[in-house]
Amino acid sequence: MKAMVLAAGLGTRLRPLTDDRPKALVTVAGRTMLEITLERLRAAGVTEVIVNAHHFAGQVEQYLKSRKDFGMRIEISREAELLDTGGGIKKAAWFFLEDVPDRDAPIIVHNVDVISSIDLARMVRAPVESGALATLAVAERESSRQLIFDKDGVLCGRRAGRDAEPEIVRPVEQMQLLAFSGIHVISPRIFGLLRETGAFSIIDTYLRLAADGEKIAAFRADEYYWRDLGKPESIAAAERDIASGTVALS
C-alpha cells in the first residue's frame, strides 16, 4: 500500500521551532512528527511513501537517509514553490500511477502535523466498501472551517467561517457540519480528474468533484484521539496526553 505525507508547509505557526528546521522534524515527546506519521502508516500496512518537501527539504532527505527510510521505500517530492495540498498531491501522481498490480489500490494522504489514534486500516477499507473517490476523516468539533455532509455522509459543501454562509455544491436536506482531520484516503482514479494547475487546495477540488457527482465520503473519527500540532502550545498539550497515556505512539 502507498501513502503520501504532506510536509512541505513553512510551519510559520510553529516558530521559533521552525526557524532552523522543517516542521516535519520538530519533535513531539522526543520523536519527530515525520517519524510518528511514518510509523503509524507502516503499522497500517503502508510499504511505500512519498513525502513532499520545500522548507529545509535537504534536512528531510538527510533525516530519512539516516533512519534508513524506516524500512520502507520513501521518495521525496521537492517543491520549488509551495503547491498547497492539491498541487502537492498532483505533483506526486507519478508515484501512485507506476506499474503496479492494482491500479485501484487506496492511497492514504496524511498531514505531517497531526497526531491521532484513527484506525487507518479501518479507514482504508471504507472506500472499498462505499466506492467513494475520496474518504475524509472528519469529526464533530469546534472549527472555523467545516465541511458539510448529508445524512449519508456524502460531501455537499462547506462553511468557510463561523459566521459565513454555507457554500452548497449539491442538494442537501439534513446537514452535518464536520471538521476535517487532515487524513484522507483517495482512489488513483482521482488523478485523471485533477484539472486544476499550480498551487491549489485539495478541498476545493473535492467540492468541485462533489458538484460533478463524484462521491466524496466522510469517515467519522469522533471516537478517536486527534490533535493538530501546528502550534507550540499544541505540541505541549500532545506531550501531556502522551505522558498521561491518553494517546500512545506506535
Side-chain angles (χ1 to χ4, degrees), residues 148-152 154-157 167-176 207 210-213:
I148 299 171
F149 294 84
D150 64 17
K151 61 181 177 60
D152 297 317
V154 176
L155 182 67
C156 296
E167 174 189 352
I168 304 298
V169 299
R170 59 188 292 168
V172 56
E173 293 182 3
Q174 298 179 35
M175 292 194 304
Q176 300 182 79
L207 290 164
D212 290 344

Side-chain angles (χ1 to χ4, degrees), residues 109-204:
V109 181
H110 198 302
N111 288 5
V112 77
D113 55 357
V114 299
I115 185 172
S116 82
S117 64
I118 292 173
D119 187 338
L120 298 179
R122 178 182 164 213
M123 189 174 172
V124 165
R125 292 193 297 270
V128 176
E129 297 166 359
S130 70
L133 179 69
T135 302
L136 285 57
V138 292
E140 188 175 349
R141 67 168 186 273
E142 276 297 312
S143 175
S144 59
R145 294 176 295 177
Q146 293 182 310
L147 298 176
I148 299 171
F149 294 84
D150 64 17
K151 61 181 177 60
D152 297 317
V154 176
L155 182 67
C156 296
R158 70 176 158 195
R159 189 180 68 179
R162 290 185 176 88
D163 300 320
E165 284 293 317
E167 174 189 352
I168 304 298
V169 299
R170 59 188 292 168
V172 56
E173 293 182 3
Q174 298 179 35
M175 292 194 304
Q176 300 182 79
L177 274 68
L178 303 169
F180 179 43
S181 298
I183 303 170
H184 28 153
V185 176
I186 60 175
S187 163
R189 187 167 63 87
I190 199 171
F191 294 109
L193 302 172
L194 296 178
R195 64 171 183 246
E196 293 84 357
T197 59
F200 62 94
S201 165
I202 194 64
I203 296 298
D204 290 343

Side-chain angles (χ1 to χ4, degrees), residues 77-113:
S77 178
R78 277 183 173 257
E79 297 182 6
E81 298 181 357
L82 287 172
L83 295 175
D84 205 341
T85 51
I89 292 169
K90 185 175 183 178
K91 187 175 188 295
W94 67 269
F95 177 76
F96 300 109
L97 298 178
E98 289 175 325
D99 187 19
V100 293
D102 185 0
R103 286 295 182 110
D104 295 321
I107 298 160
I108 302 175
V109 181
H110 198 302
N111 288 5
V112 77
D113 55 357

